[in-house]
Amino acid sequence: MRLVFMGTPDFAVPALQALHTAGHDIVAVYSQPPRPAGRGKALRASPVQHAAEQLGIEVRCPVSLRKNTQEWEAFAALQADAAVVAAYGLILPQVMLDTPRLGCLNIHASLLPRWRGASPIQSSILAGDTQSGVTIMQMEAGLDTGPMLLRESVPITAHTTATTLHDALSALGGTLAVQALAGPHAAVPQPEAGVTYAPRLTKEDGRINWHDSAEAIDRRIRALTPWPGTFTQLADGTVLKIGNAQPNPTQQHNAPPGTVLDGTLTIACGTGTLRLLQLQKPGRGMMEADAFLRGFALDKGTLLHSLPVE
């Protein structure tokens, strides 16, 4: 089949590779333009652009598609049977959605209609969902509202992190994209019940509120590591990033939430406690707790703050 592929981050790379391996003729790849990255702020191509160039596929990187009639014409000239979209990052105008013979298919990292929007992987862990998955959807103008062609779930356990779930769904997305194009598959409208939205994340979403339960804080750490990362503050304003922790939801205490309870970095939560396993202090990398404590004291009774320290 003659395809256009549209994607930008690591999540989309397995789908591009799977479609290429399946023998589809990928006539062009669309990806976000190279961005400044690293200490030198040199322009860096996206993971999808890098993968496409390795496969010898033409890459197009428009800054915007809105009112971009020149790009609309170039897209139409590709005469694609279908476009496959995975975390591309630009909104496709209706004229582009209507151009391919079979329309545009989206690889979405959730079990639609739950978690439409920008952060479905993180939102599913934060909410305590027991499963996530991938939906292959026929795209339309609404935000992830199109009819579903394929849908497959994966479990979320007490140890699932954003990284492990990302990798599982990324691989599954490639498999389902190939299956969707091998069709035909009935397009099933999304149910009106059960719609939830996954907002775009900010760094402030990573701030730990020690008044939450130990389980909720653990979910936040697993959901938001490595980005935007979770953090807390000391009384002097020092920011400590938290990379991994172990909740004990039934451990009783009488201390204010955020209090260091012992020398193993067990922290009082709204209910239960949380033992910090990996931490990062300013200017250093993430460390195991014992290595961290050799160079940074967090004495029993120290209070970790839930709100910004003035």
Side-chain angles (χ1 to χ4, degrees), residues 29-299:
V29 164
Y30 279 70
S31 193
Q32 290 271 344
R35 307 292 190 196
R39 292 184 178 179
K41 298 300 180 183
L43 291 179
R44 181 180 299 173
S46 74
V48 165
Q49 180 176 348
H50 181 68
E53 289 173 347
Q54 287 186 319
L55 296 173
I57 303 172
E58 175 195 0
V59 180
R60 302 183 66 87
C61 298
V63 175
S64 173
L65 297 174
R66 185 173 179 268
K67 298 183 180 180
N68 190 344
T69 56
Q70 183 177 359
E71 198 58 56
W72 300 351
E73 292 170 359
F75 184 73
L78 295 170
Q79 297 183 320
D81 295 309
V84 178
V85 183
Y88 176 35
L90 292 182
I91 296 175
L92 273 62
Q94 190 66 50
V95 65
M96 293 183 73
L97 294 175
D98 294 339
T99 293
R101 179 175 62 88
L102 300 176
C104 301
L105 307 184
N106 180 251
I107 303 170
H108 188 73
S110 81
L111 297 173
L112 291 172
R114 187 161 177 79
W115 303 128
R116 295 173 179 172
S119 60
I121 291 174
Q122 296 88 345
S123 294
S124 62
I125 298 174
L126 278 170
D129 291 356
T130 59
Q131 63 177 358
S132 180
V134 169
T135 303
I136 306 296
M137 174 191 69
Q138 189 83 43
M139 294 179 69
E140 57 182 31
L143 176 63
D144 301 327
T145 57
M148 303 177 293
L149 301 178
L150 288 173
R151 194 166 174 263
E152 187 169 325
S153 65
V154 299
I156 297 177
T157 73
H159 303 289
T160 298
T161 66
T163 298
T164 58
L165 185 56
H166 168 283
D167 292 350
L169 299 184
S170 178
L172 179 59
T175 299
L176 293 187
V178 172
Q179 292 180 13
L181 292 171
H185 300 279
V188 179
Q190 293 186 36
E192 295 183 5
V195 174
T196 56
Y197 291 93
R200 192 170 300 278
L201 297 171
T202 69
K203 289 185 178 181
E204 189 61 24
D205 289 314
R207 183 181 295 278
I208 292 173
N209 184 348
W210 295 106
H211 292 265
D212 290 341
S213 70
E215 291 170 304
I217 296 172
D218 174 59
R219 290 198 302 268
R220 184 164 298 274
I221 294 168
R222 290 188 288 112
L224 303 186
T225 300
W227 196 92
T230 49
F231 65 94
T232 189
Q233 281 183 277
L234 300 177
D236 64 2
T238 300
V239 174
L240 300 179
K241 294 183 178 179
I242 311 299
N244 191 15
Q246 182 177 22
N248 186 339
T250 61
Q251 184 174 354
Q252 301 295 314
H253 63 81
N254 295 314
T259 302
V260 178
L261 297 177
D262 58 34
T264 66
L265 295 186
T266 298
I267 314 299
C269 303
T271 57
T273 64
L274 193 75
R275 183 182 176 192
L276 305 184
L277 302 179
Q278 291 182 327
L279 302 91
Q280 181 180 349
K281 55 188 175 183
R284 302 294 297 272
M286 191 67 68
M287 303 179 187
E288 299 298 321
D290 56 351
F292 178 89
L293 288 173
R294 285 196 290 269
F296 195 100
L298 278 181
D299 298 327

